[in-house]
Every structure is written in C-alpha cells, then in structure tokens.
C-alpha cells in the first residue's frame, strides 16, 4: 500500500491514486471518521472516465498512523499539501467534505494556489457552525460541547444512532440499503477515539470567514437542505456569500451524507465544475 510521510512530523499517511497518471487531477479530502472509501461513488467513476483521482486517510484514520499530535488545522492542512507535493500534482481540483473543507481552505490560504486550480466544498463545516463574536446566529457552544461529551462517552452509540440523520433517510429520494448504512457505521470505527475528539475541537474553534474572502480561485459549494451536521444557513450559504468566485449548488432533501444519497448528482456536478461549467446559483 502506498504511503507518504507527513511534512509536519513524519507520520505515515496512506493514500490512493486511481486513474491515468496523465489525467486531470482531483484530490479528495475526507470527512471526520472516514477514509477514502467514502468517495467510492465519485472517485471510481471519474477515474474510469480518465481523471486522476487521489485521496488519503487523515492521521488517525483508516490505514494511516495512529498518533497523538498534529490535529491542529495548520498541521492537517500541511498534511494535505504534503500529499500534493509528494506526488508533484499540478492544476489540482480539491474536493472536501465536512471538516475536510476546513483543511482545504487552510491549505489554500497557508500554501497558496500555485498547484490548485479550483476547490469544491461539499457539505462543509466552513466557515464554522458554532456561535462566536462575529457569528451570533451559530450553534451555542454548550450544545457543541454536549455533543462532544456524548461522543466521548459512547462513540459506538453516537455513530449508530446518528446514521439516520446523517443520511437524512426520512427525506424523499434518500434511499440507501441497510447494509450500506451499517457498513459506513463500521467504517467510522476506522478512526481512533483520539482523532475523533481532536476534530470536534477543530470544528468548535473554526472561524474561516477571513480565509474564505481571500480565496483566489473558483469555488463550488455543494450543500443539502436537510444537513443537521452542518446546517445550511450556518455553513454552506455563508460560504457561498463569502467566497469571491463561488457557485452554490443546493441539493433538495439532502443531508450530510449526500456523497451517497446524491452520488450521481455530485459526480455530475464535479465533472461540470472541472470542465469549466457553472451551475445555476440558488438563492
């Protein structure tokens, strides 16, 4: 299995590299708890169409090393940049989900856009869902802390009980097999307890407003109307309003797990975005 060493501290990080070596490059950045397998409905079809699809397991996730440190956002962003430089990737499209969008934004503002052409922020946590001085409408910090406490007490129950809302399975059109949902619950246990708690802290402290306004590249924002993990008005809509060159695509009835429930639509929108198309803005 291929690995590269983190430029931060030498942590061994597992990556996958699908499709032709000379294809247009797409780098996928995962949600909390998941490894690259979460993107199977986008990475594999796009690779078969001739794109070079690259992804990696975040430290403490999947097949990457189990470590204590390096979970601050700067270090996570440096891990992403380390992968791009390790493979000498150019003209990259970055695609991130959930907390992966924060890593992408920090990577771009920290390392620049010399190697990156565009970014897609899917069900993103940016700019940050938790209430702060410049975001009074956000989630109360004590509610975020209570959710973190529930995770720490019994993360097995947290994953199992949260799957229904994660995929918004009560909404029309969000049809997934029980077998798939359970497989994704099991996949969550591929992340360590340490990694999970550390990412809760990243989200609680996240305020990417100043960074989003500085992004000097096309940005596609994809978000679901029924995302309870990253409520649309607190995250996706704000992001689309902040980025200078953004396109907003709203998926009706979609939850946080739209990469599965709206797999074909997401693949199509990513393909259009990479080809230079511009989806219709949604108010």
């Amino acid at each position: 299995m291929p690995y590269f060493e983190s430029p931060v501290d030498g942590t061994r990080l597992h990556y996958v590299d699908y499709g032709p070596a000379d294809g247009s490059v797409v780098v996928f950045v995962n949600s909390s708890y998941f490894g690259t397998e979460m993107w199977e409905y986008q990475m594999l079809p796009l690779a078969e169409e001739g794109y070079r699809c690259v992804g990696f397991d975040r430290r403490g996730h999947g097949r990457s090393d189990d470590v204590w440190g390096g979970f601050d956002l700067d270090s996570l962003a440096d891990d992403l940049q380390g992968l791009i430089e390790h493979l000498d990737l150019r003209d990259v499209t970055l695609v991130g989900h959930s907390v992966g969008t924060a890593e992408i934004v920090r990577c771009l503002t920290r390392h620049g856009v010399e190697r990156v052409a565009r970014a897609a922020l899917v069900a993103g946590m940016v700019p940050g869902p938790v209430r702060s001085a410049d975001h009074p409408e956000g989630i109360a910090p004590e509610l975020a802390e209570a959710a973190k406490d529930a995770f720490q007490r019994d993360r097995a129950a947290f994953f199992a009980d949260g799957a229904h809302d994660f995929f918004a399975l009560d909404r029309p059109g969000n049809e997934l097999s029980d077998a798939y949902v359970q497989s994704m619950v099991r996949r969550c246990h591929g992340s360590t307890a340490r990694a999970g708690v550390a990412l809760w802290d990243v989200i609680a402290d996240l305020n990417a407003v100043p960074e989003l306004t500085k992004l000097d590249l096309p940005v596609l924002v994809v978000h679901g109307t029924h995302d309870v993990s990253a409520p649309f008005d607190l995250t996706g809509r704000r992001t689309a309003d902040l980025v200078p060159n953004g396109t907003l695509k709203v998926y009706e009835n979609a939850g946080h797990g739209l990469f599965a429930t709206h797999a074909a639509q997401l693949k199509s929108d990513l393909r259009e975005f990479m080809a230079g198309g511009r989806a219709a803005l949604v108010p």
Side-chain angles (χ1 to χ4, degrees):
M1 291 188 292
Y3 289 86
F4 73 101
E5 290 190 356
S6 163
V8 176
D9 55 10
T11 295
R12 260 192 352 148
L13 303 174
H14 173 264
Y15 70 92
V16 297
D17 190 349
Y18 296 155
D22 60 351
S24 298
V25 181
V26 195
V27 175
F28 291 85
V29 186
N30 313 324
S31 172
S32 302
Y33 319 129
F34 295 122
T36 54
E37 71 283 340
M38 68 169 284
W39 297 109
E40 65 176 297
Y41 299 128
Q42 289 78 44
M43 290 185 75
L44 300 184
L46 288 172
E48 290 172 350
E49 293 175 16
Y51 291 91
R52 182 180 181 184
C53 295
V54 177
F56 75 112
D57 293 345
R58 181 187 294 106
R59 56 179 60 224
H61 289 64
R63 289 159 286 187
S64 291
D65 282 354
D66 176 9
V67 293
W68 177 258
F71 289 101
D72 60 284
L73 195 51
D74 283 351
S75 295
L76 295 172
D78 290 353
D79 286 347
L80 172 56
Q81 183 69 16
L83 172 67
I84 294 171
E85 294 182 359
H86 175 74
L87 295 176
D88 193 24
L89 303 177
R90 307 275 177 175
D91 197 30
V92 172
T93 298
L94 292 175
V95 181
H97 179 267
S98 192
V99 74
T101 64
E103 290 162 283
I104 285 175
V105 171
R106 180 60 54 86
C107 181
L108 292 172
T109 56
R110 188 169 168 83
H111 296 284
V113 297
E114 179 182 355
R115 292 175 178 267
V116 180
R118 61 192 68 81
L121 309 179
V122 180
M125 285 292 177
V126 290
V130 179
R131 183 185 302 161
S132 63
D134 59 354
H135 180 36
E137 299 83 11
I139 297 168
E142 54 268 25
L143 292 180
E145 188 65 24
K148 174 185 169 183
D149 290 344
F151 174 86
Q152 288 182 288
R153 280 196 308 273
D154 190 344
R155 63 191 181 111
F158 182 90
F159 295 143
D161 296 344
H164 187 275
D165 286 344
F166 182 87
F167 293 110
L169 296 177
D170 60 326
R171 303 303 302 174
N174 295 346
E175 298 174 358
L176 298 173
S177 70
D178 289 342
Y180 175 82
V181 173
Q182 291 308 310
S183 74
M184 295 305 283
V185 170
R186 290 193 297 273
R187 290 284 191 180
C188 289
H189 290 279
S191 63
T192 66
R194 162 60 182 163
V197 171
L199 291 180
W200 273 100
D201 292 335
V202 168
I203 293 168
D205 295 335
L206 182 61
N207 181 5
V209 169
E211 294 173 276
L212 288 169
T213 62
K214 297 175 183 177
L215 292 186
D216 186 22
L217 78 175
V219 176
L220 174 65
V221 179
V222 177
H223 221 94
T225 58
H226 287 73
D227 190 330
V228 297
S229 300
F232 173 54
D233 286 334
L234 303 183
T235 54
R237 187 182 295 280
R238 292 174 66 220
T239 293
D241 289 342
L242 287 164
V243 294
N245 184 12
T247 300
L248 174 62
K249 190 73 171 177
V250 178
Y251 289 8
E252 188 65 32
N253 292 317
H256 205 52
L258 56 79
F259 57 86
T261 57
H262 293 65
Q265 185 177 355
L266 179 58
K267 181 192 69 174
S268 177
D269 286 338
L270 291 175
R271 188 197 299 114
E272 180 185 22
F273 180 55
M274 292 185 289
R278 191 169 176 82
L281 287 173
V282 178

